[in-house]
Amino acid sequence: MSQHPQTESILAGLTLEQKASLLSGATFWETEGIEDAGVPSIIVSDGPHGVRRQSTGGDHLGLLDGEPATCFPPAVGLGSSWDPELVERVGEALGREAQAKRVSVLLGPGINIKRDPRCGRNFEYLSEDPLHAGVLGSAFVRGVQSQGVGTSLKHYAANNQETDRLRVSAEIDTRTLRELYLPAFRRVVTETQPWTVMCSYNKINGTFASEHNWLLNTVLRDEWGFEGVVVSDWGAVRDRVPSLAAGLDLEMPTTVGRTDAEVVAAVKDGSLDIAVVDTAARRLIDLALSGQQGLWENAELDVDGQHALAREIAGRSIVLLRNEDAILPLTPGAGPVAVIGEFARTPRYQGAGSSQIVPTRLDNALDAIREISGEDVPFAAGFTLDGVADAALADEAVRVAASAETVLYFAGLPSSAESEGFDRDDIELPADQVALLERLIEANPRIVVVLSNGAVVRVSDWNERVPALVEGWLLGQAGGGAIADVLYGAVNPSGRLTESIPERLQDVPAFTSFPGEQGSVRYAEGLYVGYRHYDTREAAVSYPFGFGLSYTSFSYDHTAVRVDEDTVHVSVQVTNTGKRDGREVVQVYTGLPGAEVSRPVHELRAFASVEVPAGETREVALSFPISELAYFAPVADAWSVEGGTYVVEIAASSRDIRASLEIQIEGDPSPIPLSINSTLGEWLAHPIGAPILNAALAEVLASTPAVGAMLNDPHMRKMAEQMPMTQAVSFGAVTTEQVQALVAAVEQASA
Ligand code: BGC
């Protein structure tokens, strides 16, 4: 079904060659247009945290510059806000900027799960949790698309590492794929209909995403109802004809006609159905018309307004991890401050690769601190960004630090450490920066560490010896000002971690399987990624998922949960018990103790970022459908809500549970049908099968006392419960006909 009234008549007037030409790019960043037929060419552009329009030349690796654009905080920062409204505003701002640059589709958001902190592109992804990534991903798409500009939800799917990303096969069991790696995509697609979805480079269980019929047609379109265009990641198509048949509509960038000819030839020799070409061409015509219709005349870039917004967003992205004795916020003039660390002067504000923006301007924290404090704060670089220890710089930094009352130490990862295209080998800060920190602690223990990094770094060695730790992630072009805002209390920090900070790399769930070898990576940890792993195993972390401090404090009262027909409703009164206005991120987790299948101890089900003025109380109401409690049962290829008593936790982080309540859920019938191969235990646990079997057993027990004795003995019974009915037949306890009669009775009762 086409979205524009003229699409069908345009399509009907095209030759096979013209249709095929629409299915690959005209240039690096433009789709093919057929002017005479009324199909415009549109411009697409990276993305995601700025509009990287390249009007001359093109590359997808960040080698060539784009036109100057507002660099908003990348996803690692934005995600830490846990605030869909804020993310939607960023989306709107990006949409406006795309308009000003005549860009019709922004290539983002990136919503892949942060499976392992070493992934070089984690800075471009939102979360280790699919609900969080999905909710914020939806907000981003809503924001951009509200401006008449499309998005490209990427990278679909299971692109969780950069090592071998063009080829590696992500080996993922069905449950894990369904419960962890696909739900964020499902949410964004079903809630917002992004104009395009970008398939990833990698294979999933042996098949390239670009040729994955199940992924692109069965799941994305048939199950989720995706109506837009599937576009390849740049150069992700291996074999054009099978990829088209598998549901990949648009190959990017241009192949200068080479693969269009392959499509034409395949139709002519009968190996490709013309209907497939028509369907994809129809989608491309729709996309082009949407793009053209969405463009505003005279849209202009408000550089100052966008920069101010970028600063506000950056302030909301910062996570305060530690603040002993309320050393922060600083009061201007209260005591001499020294700024140490090259990052204060040369900010690391975005990641490297295709998302790299040439900013319209760039703030640094040092200038902003001097401005906000009104003092000529002394500065020492302390280290260089190339990681080579520099004794003279370090000595000077120690001297400067010793004469101050408070030291602000800006440490972090240089851009060479993390980028699209490769992964990190470890999660360490550069050794020279840690060595300098040790010396600074000796010289002046009143240290505030401010980090700049696109994914977690290990802090466990020194974290408890510094009074304050500010996780500044990558904050975009206005991040320097935002850091000063937080340090001096103009902004009360409200960011929360979207990735657990492990004590050691060895504790990371994928430690032994990331990034795989010989073209394949096995997701051996299954569902147990991030807090799902640490919390289930009660393993120590430096800082848990969902954690972040504020300059005020919050109490949670009158917590309640109720279930109506198909929804779980949670409510809580949050009171700001401190003296500053602030924001709290309320999180709801659920767990099912004693679940039939292996499940994480708890999983995030809802969250809200709420502003609460000092001394005031806000009623927070959250809800989620009961269907979210489902697990995926591969044997039945279906979702199933297990009945039972669920724990509903109202929490300030995954490790700070403020109230633990219970709900009774009736649940779905078992997704696994009873059969002759089901065990006695499965029969006895089945709500419909058990009474039928028990009735039948009564007769057997009457005639065969030995069986009765066996079932009455607890140990023997345990053993018997493991026995498939077929075994009972072979032992002669029952006949095949009797079991078949039972199966038929259950089928009849379930119908
Ligand atoms: C990246 C995409 C990007 C594309 C175009 C690829 O290398 O993986 O995220 O949108 O290039 O630059």
Side-chain angles (χ1 to χ4, degrees), residues 29 46 60 121 154-155 165 198 201 233-234 354 420:
W29 301 120
D46 283 310
H60 59 304
R121 217 171 173 183
K154 65 190 190 183
H155 307 89
R165 72 166 162 157
M198 187 189 291
Y201 287 118
D233 200 340
W234 265 231
S354 61
E420 176 178 342

Side-chain angles (χ1 to χ4, degrees), residues 28-29 44-48 52 54 59-62 106-108 110 121 124-125 152 154-155 159 162 165-166 198-201 232-235 252-253 353-355 420-421:
F28 212 84
W29 301 120
V44 305
S45 190
D46 283 310
R52 184 174 174 257
Q54 290 185 312
D59 77 291
H60 59 304
L61 300 171
L106 184 72
L107 302 177
R121 217 171 173 183
E124 230 179 300
Y125 299 140
S152 198
K154 65 190 190 183
H155 307 89
N159 181 182
E162 293 297 288
R165 72 166 162 157
L166 304 178
M198 187 189 291
C199 81
S200 57
Y201 287 118
S232 71
D233 200 340
W234 265 231
M252 284 301 279
S354 61
S355 66
E420 176 178 342

Side-chain angles (χ1 to χ4, degrees), residues 284-308:
L284 263 304
I285 297 169
D286 269 335
L287 177 71
L289 294 176
S290 299
Q292 184 187 44
Q293 180 181 304
L295 285 182
W296 305 335
E297 285 308 319
N298 308 324
E300 271 183 31
L301 173 59
D302 169 12
V303 174
D304 294 339
Q306 297 283 85
H307 186 76

Side-chain angles (χ1 to χ4, degrees), residues 503-559:
E503 288 198 338
R504 312 171 306 160
L505 179 61
Q506 294 88 322
D507 299 338
V508 168
F511 176 64
T512 52
S513 60
F514 180 97
E517 64 271 309
Q518 299 175 354
S520 146
V521 51
R522 207 161 61 83
Y523 285 36
E525 71 290 346
L527 295 169
Y528 296 90
V529 165
Y531 72 88
R532 286 171 165 75
H533 162 86
Y534 300 113
D535 293 355
T536 303
R537 289 173 183 256
E538 297 179 7
V541 288
S542 288
Y543 293 100
F545 179 79
F547 177 80
L549 299 171
S550 163
Y551 294 149
T552 188
S553 48
F554 300 95
S555 70
Y556 288 45
D557 304 290
H558 301 287
T559 50

